[in-house]
Amino acid sequence: MNSGKRISASWNSLLCFFLGHTLTTVCTRCGKYVNLQGKRKVTMEERINNWWNNRNKKHEPEFKGSLKLKPGLTKYSLNMKTNELKTVSYTEDYEAIRDNKGEIKYDKDGFPLMRVKSRKAKFDPMLVYIDAMNDETAIRKANNYLFGIKPGVKITQVTREEVNAMEFSMN
């Protein structure tokens, strides 16, 4: 590619940056796949207003993840602000177990067999999660964790949450 083509390509991509792509499947200026065929072209005023409105908004970080429940252990959360240790409360979604034909399986009493589809807990970025068999072990693990981070802080009890809520779906 010679220098004239490079200058032309960079100029066209700069035009597309400021003016927007052409309303075709492939932009005729820069050659990118944009798939704008049949759509309305946004005016310069609308583009500036959208930029200004989005610029002034405070975006909260969105955290997504999962906490694996280990068999035989209870999930505890240690709040680093309040130094409070409590059991994690979560909601469980259940679904009916189906056989190979797609029909719901029933137990000997005539009730449908259910399994946990998902567990959802409220997220707080100030929590540290601990797996333990009982409250004494959870208190010991929490104190061991806090020993290096917050000297002089000692956990003495576990705060209990409400009973887990259940939601059933027969999908």
Side-chain angles (χ1 to χ4, degrees), residues 145-158:
Y145 180 78
L146 289 175
F147 178 73
I149 297 173
K150 293 183 170 183
V153 175
K154 188 165 185 167
I155 305 291
T156 56
Q157 65 180 0
V158 175

Side-chain angles (χ1 to χ4, degrees), residues 18-65:
F18 285 113
L19 302 177
H21 296 288
T22 58
L23 297 178
T24 56
T25 305
V26 177
C27 181
T28 57
R29 279 194 293 261
C30 64
K32 290 185 181 175
Y33 176 77
V34 290
N35 197 15
L36 297 175
Q37 181 117 19
K39 297 191 177 168
R40 185 179 73 82
K41 188 164 179 89
V42 180
T43 64
M44 185 63 82
E45 182 181 358
E46 290 173 340
R47 292 178 73 202
I48 292 171
N49 288 338
N50 289 338
W51 173 81
W52 184 258
N53 291 337
N54 291 336
R55 185 180 125 332
N56 292 334
K57 288 183 183 175
K58 300 280 184 199
H59 293 288
E60 295 280 330
E62 184 177 336
F63 298 95
K64 293 183 177 179

Side-chain angles (χ1 to χ4, degrees), residues 1-168:
M1 186 184 261
N2 59 23
S3 61
K5 287 185 179 180
R6 284 189 198 137
I7 292 170
S8 177
S10 60
W11 174 254
N12 287 336
S13 62
L14 186 66
L15 279 176
C16 284
F17 178 73
F18 285 113
L19 302 177
H21 296 288
T22 58
L23 297 178
T24 56
T25 305
V26 177
C27 181
T28 57
R29 279 194 293 261
C30 64
K32 290 185 181 175
Y33 176 77
V34 290
N35 197 15
L36 297 175
Q37 181 117 19
K39 297 191 177 168
R40 185 179 73 82
K41 188 164 179 89
V42 180
T43 64
M44 185 63 82
E45 182 181 358
E46 290 173 340
R47 292 178 73 202
I48 292 171
N49 288 338
N50 289 338
W51 173 81
W52 184 258
N53 291 337
N54 291 336
R55 185 180 125 332
N56 292 334
K57 288 183 183 175
K58 300 280 184 199
H59 293 288
E60 295 280 330
E62 184 177 336
F63 298 95
K64 293 183 177 179
S66 62
L67 295 173
K68 184 155 179 125
L69 292 178
K70 297 180 181 170
L73 300 180
T74 306
K75 188 71 75 175
Y76 293 89
S77 63
L78 174 63
N79 193 331
M80 298 303 288
K81 277 186 189 174
T82 61
N83 299 325
E84 182 181 23
L85 181 67
K86 62 170 97 171
T87 56
V88 175
S89 62
Y90 52 85
T91 59
E92 293 181 337
D93 294 334
Y94 290 89
E95 69 178 355
I97 299 174
R98 298 181 179 269
D99 60 3
N100 293 338
K101 296 178 182 176
E103 296 176 1
I104 297 174
K105 290 184 177 181
Y106 295 95
D107 63 0
K108 62 183 179 181
D109 296 328
F111 295 109
L113 294 174
M114 305 297 278
R115 71 170 163 224
V116 176
K117 185 168 83 170
S118 66
R119 294 181 183 94
K120 296 177 185 176
K122 185 181 171 197
F123 175 77
D124 184 6
M126 294 302 294
L127 296 180
V128 174
Y129 295 98
I130 299 170
D131 290 320
M133 288 183 72
N134 52 32
D135 293 348
E136 296 170 5
T137 309
I139 292 170
R140 180 178 51 80
K141 287 182 176 185
N143 287 328
N144 286 342
Y145 180 78
L146 289 175
F147 178 73
I149 297 173
K150 293 183 170 183
V153 175
K154 188 165 185 167
I155 305 291
T156 56
Q157 65 180 0
V158 175
T159 307
R160 292 282 173 202
E161 287 290 324
E162 298 175 7
V163 179
N164 297 341
M166 291 187 251
E167 297 175 13
F168 292 96

